[in-house]
Amino acid sequence: MNWTLEVVVVPVSDVDRAKKFYADRLGFVVDHDTVLGDDVRIVQLTPPGSGCSVVIGKGAVPDMPPGSLKGLQLVVPDLERARAELVERGVEVSEIQVLGANPSPTPHPLDNVGFVFFTDPDGNAWAVQQISSRA
């Protein structure tokens, strides 16, 4: 039986501002923006090519302090290109960092060990890692 992670709730203070950041700056696809009355709103967004979405909202999502989620990670096949896209879209993103060393040769020197980091407007922290191919 497969167990797949499909949704991660990201705590935000302003749903519209967060939706704009994730859709316009990061390029996530808006799957739905559902309003169920004055106190309930759920917005689901999915990174291009991902099987896992993020949900932001109010009312029907767990109550967590905005900005408290750390360690979210995206994986891309070309970190230099991904970083350039983020910069072009106005995301404040770190320089490429190499963390550790590969125990065996890889197709690209940044595979597994190349990262960039950014935060959303509330301070939820994201990493982007390069993995160009998987065994």
Side-chain angles (χ1 to χ4, degrees):
M1 169 175 22
N2 289 336
W3 294 53
T4 60
L5 179 64
E6 300 286 336
V7 173
V8 173
V9 176
V10 178
V12 300
S13 60
D14 182 320
V15 177
D16 289 320
R17 179 181 70 172
K19 178 183 173 185
K20 186 171 180 60
F21 176 81
Y22 284 99
D24 297 348
R25 296 273 176 101
L26 298 184
F28 287 19
V29 175
V30 178
D31 299 320
H32 63 83
D33 185 341
T34 305
V35 176
L36 302 169
D38 293 337
D39 298 324
V40 178
R41 180 176 177 196
I42 301 168
V43 181
Q44 181 172 321
L45 305 106
T46 304
S50 179
C52 185
S53 303
V54 297
V55 166
I56 57 175
K58 65 177 187 174
V61 296
D63 186 23
M64 298 182 286
S68 63
L69 198 54
K70 310 296 182 198
L72 294 162
Q73 188 164 311
L74 299 165
V75 173
V76 296
D78 184 338
L79 189 60
E80 291 160 328
R81 183 171 153 213
R83 184 182 184 283
E85 285 182 22
L86 292 173
V87 168
E88 184 178 300
R89 291 180 176 156
V91 176
E92 291 184 29
V93 60
S94 73
E95 296 294 329
I96 293 174
Q97 299 175 34
V98 174
L99 304 177
N102 278 308
S104 57
T106 60
H108 190 281
L110 290 177
D111 281 348
N112 305 319
V113 296
F115 292 84
V116 296
F117 302 91
F118 66 89
T119 59
D120 73 8
D122 284 291
N124 294 299
W126 290 80
V128 182
Q129 178 187 25
Q130 176 170 312
I131 299 177
S132 64
S133 63
R134 295 189 189 258

